[in-house]
Amino acid sequence: MDYLHTLDDIRSNIRQVIVGKDTVIDHLLISLVCSGHVLIEDMPGLGKTTLASALASSLGCTFKRIQFTPDVLPSDITGFTMFNLKTGEQELHLGSIMNQIVLADEINRTSPKTQSALLEIMQENQVTIDGQTYPAPSPFMVLATQNPVEMTGTYPLPEAQMDRFLMRVSMGYPSHRVEMQILRHHTRENQAVRLRPVATAEDVLQMQKD
């Protein structure tokens, strides 16, 4: 398998919507190959969510975006069991985290209790629901975003949570040249263009294995 060719295809695909951030894109790809998770933090409007979504869209993997807010519960993340009155049995409802690529958007805007729901699966690739353990899908990667400056109404990530991330990257403000390029090529009309997958889940697993 030509890994470099596959990575180049993913990089080129992401660059259709992310301009002038090749180093940040490379960091995401390194983390992907190393089976790691990434925390993307910077000021609003610099493309954190767009970058994470672009990577997910470039891969033929299941994807879920979780908007972290104070009212999100741990069971919304991991899942829960519910008694079915018709069948008289407990039914399992898996949470949003049980996808191959998960975007934890504004992760520091949810409570520490909900943040802790990510600890097990980010470390051990599994979740425990009512005493039963369920494996995460493969490959599995969490892309989290947060604004490190505006802290009102947020909950700083504890060290145990930060330790789950292989990399912590920052987008940074674009240069004047890049801003002009964004204005020329990324108008309101073509922002809605969706990226198509250029790699499969099997490609990612093979790169991680080798």
Side-chain angles (χ1 to χ4, degrees), residues 11-19 185-186 193 195-196:
R11 184 185 297 109
S12 299
N13 211 42
I14 296 175
R15 290 176 65 184
Q16 294 184 55
V17 293
I18 299 294
V19 180
H185 299 289
H186 292 262
V193 176
L195 299 180
R196 294 185 177 182

Side-chain angles (χ1 to χ4, degrees), residues 10-191:
I10 299 173
R11 184 185 297 109
S12 299
N13 211 42
I14 296 175
R15 290 176 65 184
Q16 294 184 55
V17 293
I18 299 294
V19 180
K21 299 299 177 183
D22 290 352
T23 300
V24 179
I25 295 173
D26 286 343
H27 286 159
L28 259 66
L29 295 179
I30 292 171
S31 297
L32 175 67
V33 174
C34 294
S35 303
H37 311 291
V38 181
L39 176 62
I40 311 170
E41 57 179 13
D42 217 317
M43 298 296 291
L46 296 181
K48 299 186 299 296
T49 301
T50 303
L51 173 63
S53 298
L55 175 62
S57 299
S58 300
L59 306 174
C61 300
T62 60
F63 170 67
K64 184 69 176 182
R65 173 180 175 177
I66 307 174
Q67 187 67 48
F68 280 79
T69 55
D71 60 340
V72 175
L73 300 175
S75 59
D76 297 329
I77 306 299
T78 59
F80 57 90
T81 56
M82 178 180 292
F83 184 74
N84 189 321
L85 294 176
K86 293 183 178 180
T87 63
E89 297 178 351
Q90 294 283 353
E91 288 186 351
L92 173 65
H93 297 267
L94 294 176
S96 302
I97 199 65
M98 299 300 280
N99 285 272
Q100 293 170 317
I101 307 294
V102 177
L103 169 56
D105 212 3
E106 298 184 278
I107 189 174
N108 59 333
R109 293 197 176 276
T110 195
S111 68
K113 183 177 181 180
T114 302
Q115 290 179 13
S116 66
L118 296 170
L119 294 177
E120 180 184 11
I121 193 167
M122 291 180 67
Q123 181 68 29
E124 303 175 28
N125 283 6
Q126 64 181 30
V127 295
T128 302
I129 305 172
D130 292 339
Q132 295 292 321
T133 300
Y134 303 92
S138 296
F140 176 72
M141 184 180 192
V142 173
L143 302 167
T145 70
Q146 74 167 351
N147 178 353
V149 179
E150 298 178 3
M151 304 303 293
T152 303
T154 64
Y155 305 87
L157 299 181
E159 290 186 10
Q161 182 69 67
M162 294 295 294
D163 187 56
R164 299 307 197 263
F165 293 101
L166 177 64
M167 289 193 183
R168 181 181 183 182
V169 301
S170 175
M171 298 292 292
Y173 286 97
S175 64
H176 176 72
R177 178 185 61 81
V178 171
E179 283 187 353
M180 297 305 296
Q181 186 176 352
I182 293 173
L183 289 174
R184 286 195 299 268
H185 299 289
H186 292 262
T187 62
R188 186 179 300 273
E189 287 74 17
N190 62 25
Q191 282 179 349

